[in-house]
Amino acid sequence: MARILILNGPNLNMLGMREPQIYGTNTLSDIMERTAARFNGRAVIEWNQSNHEGALIDAIQQARANGYDGIVLNAGAYTHTSLAIADAIAAVHGATPVVEVHLSNIAAREEIRHRSLIAPVCIGSIAGFGADSYALGVEALLLRNN
Ligand code: DQA
């Protein structure tokens, strides 16, 4: 069965209380548990969250070392700023494909959020479907895996 890591970046631990008009009222652990349950019998989903750029890079590198079949990554604001995370994704690309996801539709928000430094090194991007963006990201990896 496919093993997939859902990796969450800065401030996503604040979901539920953070700008609920943009990100909804569910907590990150609610969303992660519901997403994992949705793929029962189809994939093993593990998840993680960090507010720290280096910890996210370590998690991406370790996902490759530990043989994960792919990563669904919501890099939060690092999406728009982190060349280091983009480099980490590029470094694991062949072995561990990464799907970029966002709860909000970043293309419809402030201009600074329109640019994603990680998009060119991910296999694709999903944004704007709220919590369902995560499940769509997992689905994309599974389709590719079969
Ligand atoms: C986000 C969008 C980012 O621009 C923002 O910095 C976040 C969350 C999203 O899921 O919509 O932290 O990645």
Side-chain angles (χ1 to χ4, degrees):
M1 209 182 302
R3 283 171 65 230
I4 291 171
L5 175 67
I6 304 182
L7 184 58
N8 293 281
N11 299 306
L12 291 162
N13 58 317
M14 300 291 282
L15 287 181
M17 59 186 108
R18 172 190 182 200
E19 300 179 273
Q21 71 285 4
I22 298 174
Y23 299 116
T25 53
N26 295 312
T27 65
L28 183 63
S29 52
D30 285 346
I31 294 169
M32 293 295 106
E33 277 166 31
R34 243 187 308 119
T35 306
R38 238 158 133 159
F39 290 95
N40 256 342
R42 292 182 64 208
V44 176
I45 312 278
E46 284 163 42
W47 69 276
N48 201 347
Q49 186 275 330
S50 177
N51 292 325
H52 305 281
E53 191 176 27
L56 294 167
I57 292 166
D58 288 343
I60 291 166
Q61 293 179 3
Q62 280 157 18
R64 181 194 173 143
N66 294 331
Y68 281 86
D69 295 293
I71 302 172
V72 171
L73 174 63
N74 186 348
Y78 284 139
T79 302
H80 318 295
T81 63
S82 179
L83 192 55
I85 290 178
D87 282 349
I89 296 167
V92 304
H93 190 85
T96 316
V98 179
V99 177
E100 173 187 14
V101 301
H102 302 282
L103 296 132
S104 64
N105 181 0
I106 54 174
R109 298 185 61 192
E110 310 95 293
E111 203 169 334
I112 198 164
R113 294 182 204 275
H114 295 181
R115 187 179 65 155
S116 167
L117 294 187
I118 68 171
V121 287
C122 288
I123 59 167
S125 305
I126 294 164
F129 297 96
D132 290 335
S133 290
Y134 290 100
L136 292 167
V138 174
E139 202 65 64
L141 284 170
L142 294 181
L143 283 169
R144 201 170 179 270
N145 228 36
N146 289 331

